[in-house]
Amino acid sequence: MATSPTDPAHELVAALRATVGEAAEGVVGGRRLPAGASRETWLLDRADAPPLVLRLDTPGSLDGDALLREAALMVLAGRGGVPGPEVLASGRGDGRLAGGFVLMSHVDGESVPQRILRDERLAAARAGFAAECGRILADLHRIDPEQAAAAGTPADDQLDAWTATLAAEPDPHPILEHVAAWLRRHRPAPVEPRLVHGDFRLGNLIVDPHGIRAVLDWELAHLGDPAEDLAWLTLRAWRFGAAPEVAGCGDVPDLLGAYEAAGGTPVDTTRLRWWQVMGCFRWGVICLHQVGRHLSGAERSVELAAIGRRVAEAEHDAMLLLLA
C-alpha cells in the first residue's frame, strides 16, 4: 500500500523506499514526533507489522556525520549488552535523506522525562533507576574503544572543544568564560579513554514498568573519561524539577555502587564534581548553539528559541557547584 500524497510523510517514505528497499517495506504513513531539538524523528506506521522509527539530520547541526556514527555505535552498543533498538538501515539518500538517516525498530515505553518521573506505573522502574543506570554504563564503558574509534568516534578533549565552541559565539558570556577558566585550573589527571555516550539522561532513555528498555541519541558520543557520563546524569538540568540527584529518581551512592559492582572503574568525588561543573559548562554552550540555530534562521523553532533561556540556568548551576 502506498502512502497518500496528502500524508506529511509521503515524500519522505518514497525517498526511503528508493534508498533502502525492503527495509521500508509495508510503510503506509507516518508522523513527526515532537521530541528532539537537534534531529527530526518520525514514527512510520506499517500495515501488518510494528512501526519503525526514522531519524534525520537537521540543518545547522554541530557535526554533519554524527548521525551515521550514531547508527554504528548503536550496533556496537547492542553487541555489548546495552539496551536499544535494532538498526535496520543508515546512510544518505536523496531529498530529505541527503543529510543522513537512521531507520530502526520501535521500542515500546516512555521517553518523556516528566511522565517517567510521575507515572505511577513506572514507580518500580524509578526505584531501581540509579542502580540500573550504573550497570548499563558499566557495560557501555567496557565496549572496545578501538572498535568505537573505527566507527568514527571522535576523541577530542572536551574542555578544549567546548571552549572553542564558546569562543565562536558572537557575544561575550563572562560567567561561562569564568567557569571554563576554573575547569582548566582544576583539570583532573587523564584516564584511559573509553567510549562515552555523552548525553546519557532522561529524555534519551526509554523506560517501561520493568526498567530501561533503550538508550537513544548517541550523537554526542566520544572517547573520553567514563566519569563524564556518570556526572552528566546527576546534573540539576536533567532532574526536571524532582529532588533526587540521579535524574530525579535516585541517589548518587546507588549509581556509583552499582557501576563499580558491574565492573566500572571507581570514581572519586573530586573527579565527579569536576565533570559536574564541566557538564554545566557544556550544557550552557549547547544552549547557546541551539538558540543560535534559531536566531540565524538555519532552523526556526520555538523549542530552540526557548532553549536560549536555559543558558542562565546552566551558569547558575555551575556557580553553585563552584561555591559548594
Side-chain angles (χ1 to χ4, degrees), residues 5-301:
T6 60
D7 189 310
H10 177 74
E11 182 180 349
L12 185 61
V13 171
L16 187 65
R17 285 177 177 150
T19 303
V20 304
E22 290 185 4
E25 188 69 29
V27 173
V28 296
R31 65 186 187 278
R32 183 176 177 180
L33 301 178
S38 59
R39 295 285 185 268
E40 281 189 37
T41 302
W42 288 77
L43 185 66
L44 304 180
D45 298 316
R46 293 191 290 175
D48 298 308
L52 302 177
V53 173
L54 177 68
R55 299 195 76 207
L56 303 176
D57 209 350
T58 55
S61 63
L62 285 170
D63 185 344
D65 293 325
L67 189 60
L68 301 186
R69 283 201 304 273
E70 185 176 348
L73 288 176
M74 289 173 67
V75 172
L76 192 59
R79 294 173 185 161
V82 177
E86 179 186 1
V87 175
L88 304 174
S90 65
R92 289 189 171 90
D94 296 329
R96 298 284 301 284
L97 306 181
F101 72 91
V102 180
L103 181 67
M104 59 190 124
S105 63
H106 178 263
V107 177
D108 288 329
E110 184 58 72
S111 63
V112 177
Q114 292 83 353
R115 295 176 185 167
I116 293 172
L117 290 170
R118 297 167 188 165
D119 192 333
E120 284 304 314
R121 296 174 304 163
L122 302 179
R126 287 193 295 272
F129 181 84
E132 187 174 15
C133 285
R135 293 189 291 270
I136 290 173
L137 284 172
D139 287 341
L140 194 159
H141 295 156
R142 275 198 298 272
I143 293 171
D144 186 347
E146 292 187 3
Q147 292 184 21
T153 308
D156 299 335
D157 180 275
Q158 289 298 290
L159 179 55
D160 289 348
W162 292 104
T163 301
T165 302
L166 176 63
E169 290 292 323
D171 298 318
H173 295 276
I175 294 179
L176 290 176
E177 291 162 10
H178 170 74
V179 173
W182 183 93
L183 288 165
R184 201 164 295 282
R185 291 195 306 271
H186 295 86
R187 186 195 292 266
V191 298
E192 179 183 356
R194 307 298 301 183
L195 175 62
V196 174
H197 180 276
D199 202 11
F200 191 96
R201 60 173 177 85
L202 287 187
N204 291 337
L205 304 172
I206 294 179
V207 178
D208 74 4
H210 302 289
I212 298 171
R213 293 285 311 280
V215 179
L216 307 175
D217 295 356
W218 292 74
E219 64 186 281
L220 294 177
H222 55 275
L223 298 175
D225 187 340
E228 179 183 348
D229 276 338
L230 294 161
W232 186 252
L233 186 60
T234 70
L235 296 189
R236 196 162 68 94
W238 311 130
R239 299 174 201 167
F240 298 91
E245 288 183 281
V246 180
C249 294
D251 300 322
V252 170
D254 291 335
L255 171 69
L256 298 183
Y259 179 74
E260 294 174 17
T265 303
V267 176
D268 62 59
T269 55
T270 300
R271 181 177 294 274
L272 185 71
R273 179 170 176 261
W274 190 91
W275 278 108
Q276 288 171 328
V277 176
M278 177 65 202
C280 293
F281 172 72
R282 185 180 72 153
W283 175 231
V285 176
I286 289 173
C287 290
L288 285 173
H289 176 79
Q290 297 287 57
V291 73
R293 288 164 58 195
H294 168 75
L295 294 173
S296 70
E299 184 182 358
R300 304 297 285 182
S301 162

